[in-house]
Amino acid sequence: MSGTANPMKRISAAGTVAGVVLSLGLAAAPAMAFPVPATSDGPTTAASPPPSPSPSSSPGPSPSPGPSSSPAASSGLSQAALADAVQRDLKLTPQQFEAAGELGSQAAAAAVRLRQIPGYVGIRIEGTSIVVTGSGSELQAAVASLAGSIHGLSLEAPPSVPSAAAPSVAPPSQPAPPTATKAAGTSPPVEAARSQLAVNTEQLFQEYVRDVGTAGLQAVVTSGGKFVIRTGGIASAQSTQGGATGATSTPAGTSEAAAPGKISPSAFASRYANVELDGAGPLKPEADVPGGVGYQTDHQVICSTGFSAFDPSGLPAVLTAGHCTDDGAVKTADLLLQGQANGRLGSFQFSQFGGPGNSTVLKPNSPQPGNVGADIAVIGSIRQGLDPLPAASTYGDPSEPGPDVKIIGTSAPVIGMPVCRSGWRTEWSCGHISAVGIFLVGGHNYPADPTDIRAFNGFLSYDVQSNGGDSGGPWVSGNYAVGTHSAGDWGGTQNFAVAATLDDSLKVLPDYQLELFLNKPELVAPADKTFKAGTSITGRVPAAPASAVAQGSQVRITYAGRQPFDVPVRPDGTWSFKAPEAPGPFSFTAETVNGFSRSAAVSLDIVISPSFLPAPAITTPATQPLPGLATVDGTGTPGATITLSGNVSGSAMVGADGRWSVALPAPAPAGKVDVTAVQSYPGLADSPATGVTFSVMPPPPAVTSLSDGQHLKQEALPASIQGTGLSGADVVVSIDGTPLPGAGGSAGPGSTGSRSVGSSLAPLVLVAGGNWTVPFPAGLALGAHTVSVTQAVDGVASAPAQLTFTIDAPAPVLPAGNITRGALAATGAGGVVSAAIAALATLAAGIVLTVVVRRRNRRRTR
């Protein structure tokens, strides 16, 4: 989890806030005491443990003299304490310790690749170098290949064979068969001295258990480029199997009696050119430590927590030592703060001390009798409000709740690797790994049951100090988890501490995951945070505090319109995904994930620029003809600039929603209006043009010679109907729905009339001088009539202008004085009759001509 954007959650108990991986305590930690080996390869190997510090030097933490002692009540496992321990025990700065952890991780990875190659014996760290022990052209080529990526990697020859005969190498998959037939009660003859080479600890361990047994066996390890069999201290586990009655250990190199059907340890060791036999002091369990800061089981056992983890369903869990559970009898664990119970931590979900089901080393009548397992337990069902953290954390000092060592992954132990161990009992202690291999300790029924001997994969340090209550605590190298504390001895002939290898422990926890510290993703972007559509959006996950991000990490991307998806984090910490095709502002969230581990989520805002510009779309409006055109709307590429041309002009930027709107500097002219749109974007070629022709209605024309509701006398009708309109428009005048004939003075049947308005196209306003006129029709009947006038530009007609007028009958004509009342003058009557007959004849003949004022045929330049 990120320690910056999303503060780490803390374990809170009774108002006290403290970070976790809980470094608490253990009771009844099994202990082993190994004597100093006879040879030395330098201070970073198991061959020569460091001398005891003098009072004037920077001493390590002095173990308490007895079980009644309690840990420091307030110092906790603070960052300052870790820095002090690293400087005191390793003479390194915290930064150098982190770098050493990186080197150890590289060595462990190299060992995985090399151990299957014939001739490989082992690997160790010396200072800032990685030394591979072995021989053969294939191994030499492999080491040379790795040296290109791992600085300081070298190959050295294994120890020379004292005899002239070249030793044979037993295949790693099968134990070397005995060379002599075993007779009951007698020791078989020994092969020619030093005629074989051991290949690995597992093979050597299985052969030893088969041919010698477990009597007094403490460990089979690699150290200094060779294999070491350590014996002495465990009461005979072969008493029921082989008939021995409490065989005791003897110093290395002395003769000892073999159990019936077995050979002696020295006889076994004499087979191999690269195996040494090393006697050791007796084992003794560390005392229980009651009270203090830690967790206490329902069997009153106190242990230290190790690393935070996730169970198969993703719920939080804490790893600790398997032997803390009394072979699964323990059910719950309670937190201890300042020596007082502070509520439930959780309940035990799994434990294994030795082989599966807490089984012992011996598997009688099996082709592989040595049963090697782990020393690991899981505390789950973590109390609500407690959140284990991916770190070896400060614990016990409320003023320093932050994590100290952020865990970014696991590393297999390598001889010479600098390590630090934290625990409730003795806090921080640091040193180097001296030996790696298989360790044997007495189980919960030992020594009452001498066959109760458990074996697990682990490693040993002569530098690191420990005491009862530290079991289960984390061992780290830099920012890598290496193991959980299992056993130790500070009061015997030689100080040492033993841990169970975490990688091997996790193998017996299927689907459990170690929780890892993951930094938040960051964006790698130009200053303007602009990425082209369809290209890669790139970021990185900072590797701090180490130089590498946890292997297998991914970045989870989430944004609107798509399900979350994961992209891999490359070895250099970078990640990328394809930018959406839609340009414009783009927001997404990113978080680093690794299994169930995850960082804080971070929200990132960028701009997607187009990779090319398609033609824009003009969408306004869809319904035509238009009463007017003052704006043009459409869609395009967000951030692009739209430029209009044709019969209009203007520009605007496309918004984030992909829409644009251009307000025209002046209303568009009437008629057919051509609009062309092009979009442009910095660094890209202009888009293809999009053209649209709009039909824009002109305004209705005006009638100036008549007024609405006007009364006309039949005998005094006007000669024409007149008005104004757009220059160049075609005007149609209709009375009672019938178009009128003639315009100007040249109307006639079938004539289009003369143009009474100007020929130029004007803006959408009435223009002074844009006049039109049509003859007033003859023969209109008395009564009301409706005038309707429209004008059209490019065939696009306006709405009509309408008014009504009424033709009134003429006043009666009185006779002259000599004419009788009621009689008509022959001349008058004859004239009126003649006019009426003529008008009726004209209408009957259909001579009602439409005279339309038309503009000359022309096309505007577009």
Side-chain angles (χ1 to χ4, degrees):
M1 299 175 64
S2 173
T4 53
N6 184 19
M8 289 189 178
K9 290 169 280 186
R10 309 289 185 225
I11 277 195
S12 176
T16 299
V17 180
V20 177
V21 171
L22 300 175
S23 297
L24 307 180
L26 156 76
M32 295 178 289
F34 296 152
V36 181
T39 61
S40 173
D41 281 347
T44 60
T45 70
S48 178
S52 300
S54 64
S56 61
S57 64
S58 299
S62 298
S64 301
S68 62
S69 301
S70 62
S74 62
S75 63
L77 302 177
S78 67
Q79 188 165 359
L82 172 61
D84 289 345
V86 169
Q87 175 62 38
R88 176 194 67 214
D89 301 337
L90 297 173
K91 302 300 184 288
L92 298 176
T93 66
Q95 293 75 23
Q96 289 171 327
F97 180 60
E98 291 175 1
E102 295 275 338
L103 184 67
S105 177
Q106 290 180 329
V112 171
R113 299 180 60 177
L114 297 175
R115 65 168 49 106
Q116 302 302 323
I117 298 177
Y120 172 82
V121 175
I123 194 168
R124 69 181 187 274
I125 295 174
E126 289 188 355
T128 59
S129 300
I130 301 174
V131 180
V132 178
T133 304
S135 61
S137 57
E138 186 177 350
L139 180 64
Q140 186 175 6
V143 171
S145 175
L146 287 175
S149 57
I150 302 178
H151 178 71
L153 182 68
S154 63
L155 176 67
E156 70 171 12
S160 60
V161 181
S163 66
S168 62
V169 177
S173 60
Q174 299 178 355
T179 57
T181 303
K182 299 177 184 179
T186 62
S187 298
V190 180
E191 289 186 304
R194 308 295 184 184
S195 61
Q196 299 182 39
L197 287 177
V199 176
N200 56 54
T201 53
E202 176 66 21
Q203 176 200 16
L204 191 63
F205 171 75
Q206 295 296 338
E207 291 180 9
Y208 188 93
V209 171
R210 183 195 63 199
D211 294 347
V212 181
T214 60
L217 180 63
Q218 290 187 2
V220 178
V221 299
T222 58
S223 176
K226 55 186 173 292
F227 295 90
V228 179
I229 298 174
R230 304 190 186 278
T231 61
I234 297 181
S236 174
Q238 294 292 113
S239 58
T240 58
Q241 179 180 351
T245 58
T248 59
S249 62
T250 58
T254 63
S255 62
E256 72 272 33
K262 304 291 183 178
I263 63 174
S264 68
S266 59
F268 179 85
S270 67
R271 297 175 179 174
Y272 300 92
N274 58 345
V275 174
E276 290 185 359
L277 187 65
D278 188 13
L283 296 176
K284 56 181 179 181
E286 294 178 338
D288 292 357
V289 181
V293 176
Y295 77 83
Q296 182 170 314
T297 71
D298 51 5
H299 281 204
Q300 305 305 306
V301 174
I302 298 174
C303 287
S304 297
T305 62
F307 300 99
S308 62
F310 295 103
D311 71 11
S313 63
L315 295 176
V318 174
L319 305 183
T320 186
H323 67 259
C324 297
T325 69
D326 288 345
D327 286 347
V330 168
K331 302 302 180 184
T332 62
D334 292 340
L335 276 174
L336 297 175
L337 288 175
Q338 305 298 325
Q340 301 297 320
N342 208 280
R344 181 65 48 85
L345 170 60
S347 58
F348 284 91
Q349 295 180 331
F350 175 89
S351 68
Q352 181 173 327
F353 180 32
N358 303 303
S359 54
T360 61
V361 170
L362 296 178
K363 293 191 296 183
N365 304 319
S366 169
Q368 198 172 34
N371 182 26
V372 182
D375 184 10
I376 192 70
V378 178
I379 301 174
S381 301
I382 303 299
R383 188 180 84 210
Q384 187 174 4
L386 305 184
D387 185 18
L389 295 177
S393 304
T394 298
Y395 196 80
D397 184 355
S399 68
E400 296 189 69
D404 299 324
V405 180
K406 300 175 178 65
I407 302 302
I408 66 167
T410 65
S411 177
V414 177
I415 295 170
M417 174 188 285
V419 287
C420 288
R421 177 208 51 74
S422 70
W424 166 80
R425 181 72 169 105
T426 54
E427 301 186 2
W428 287 105
S429 180
C430 302
H432 296 86
I433 293 177
S434 305
V436 178
I438 299 170
F439 294 83
L440 285 76
V441 296
H444 294 292
N445 297 318
Y446 181 86
D449 178 3
T451 66
D452 186 15
I453 300 174
R454 317 289 176 89
F456 60 87
N457 291 291
F459 55 94
L460 170 148
S461 173
Y462 285 115
D463 311 325
V464 174
Q465 299 188 10
S466 64
N467 207 333
D470 288 333
S471 279
W475 285 64
V476 298
S477 182
N479 297 103
Y480 293 88
V482 184
T484 52
H485 187 64
S486 183
D489 181 33
W490 58 268
T493 58
Q494 173 61 51
N495 173 81
F496 68 91
V498 175
T501 303
L502 184 61
D503 279 347
D504 291 306
S505 296
L506 290 174
K507 292 176 183 177
V508 306
L509 296 173
D511 301 323
Y512 276 81
Q513 299 177 10
L514 186 70
E515 184 176 7
L516 304 177
F517 175 86
L518 299 171
N519 281 304
K520 297 179 302 180
E522 295 177 348
L523 198 62
V524 178
D528 59 358
K529 295 186 178 180
T530 298
F531 295 86
K532 281 191 176 181
T535 62
S536 291
I537 297 174
T538 304
R540 72 182 185 93
V541 176
S547 62
V549 181
Q551 185 177 4
S553 295
Q554 296 179 303
V555 171
R556 182 159 296 161
I557 305 297
T558 305
Y559 58 85
R562 179 168 178 179
Q563 290 294 321
F565 61 94
D566 296 341
V567 297
V569 178
R570 305 181 187 94
D572 62 356
T574 60
W575 52 270
S576 62
F577 69 99
K578 187 177 180 181
E581 295 291 343
F586 176 62
S587 297
F588 65 98
T589 60
E591 59 180 337
T592 311
V593 298
N594 192 304
F596 292 121
S597 301
R598 60 178 57 198
S599 73
V602 58
S603 179
L604 300 172
D605 300 314
I606 63 173
V607 175
I608 305 296
S609 67
S611 55
F612 69 96
L613 291 176
I618 300 175
T619 59
T620 297
T623 303
Q624 297 194 48
L626 306 175
L629 184 63
T631 61
V632 178
D633 302 329
T635 59
T637 300
T641 298
I642 299 293
T643 302
L644 302 182
S645 60
N647 296 134
V648 298
S649 63
S651 63
M653 181 172 288
V654 183
D657 60 355
R659 299 183 178 276
W660 55 267
S661 180
V662 176
L664 303 180
K672 297 295 185 181
V673 178
D674 293 330
V675 177
T676 299
V678 173
Q679 59 180 345
S680 58
Y681 198 96
L684 298 177
D686 287 352
S687 74
T690 297
V692 172
T693 299
F694 291 111
S695 295
V696 180
M697 298 169 57
V703 179
T704 60
S705 62
L706 293 175
S707 58
D708 190 32
Q710 184 177 356
H711 286 259
L712 303 177
K713 293 185 178 181
Q714 189 181 43
E715 68 274 19
L717 296 175
S720 63
I721 302 175
Q722 301 173 2
T724 59
L726 292 178
S727 296
D730 296 329
V731 177
V732 175
V733 181
S734 300
I735 295 182
D736 298 333
T738 302
L740 297 183
S746 60
S751 171
T752 58
S754 64
R755 186 167 297 281
S756 62
V757 293
S759 61
S760 63
L761 185 63
L764 280 173
V765 296
L766 296 176
V767 179
N771 300 315
W772 55 265
T773 182
V774 294
F776 194 91
L780 287 179
L782 298 176
H785 300 276
T786 299
V787 177
S788 178
V789 184
T790 61
Q791 59 179 341
V793 177
D794 293 336
V796 182
S798 70
Q802 292 183 331
L803 58 81
T804 59
F805 65 90
T806 302
I807 299 178
D808 296 327
V813 180
L814 298 176
N818 57 348
I819 298 176
T820 306
R821 180 184 299 275
L824 294 176
T827 56
V832 172
V833 171
S834 298
I837 292 173
L840 291 173
T842 300
L843 291 173
I847 309 175
V848 179
L849 301 178
T850 301
V851 181
V852 181
V853 183
R854 296 186 178 278
R855 63 182 176 82
R856 292 187 299 271
N857 291 329
R858 54 110 179 104
R859 299 296 295 174
R860 290 173 292 165
T861 302
R862 293 175 169 81

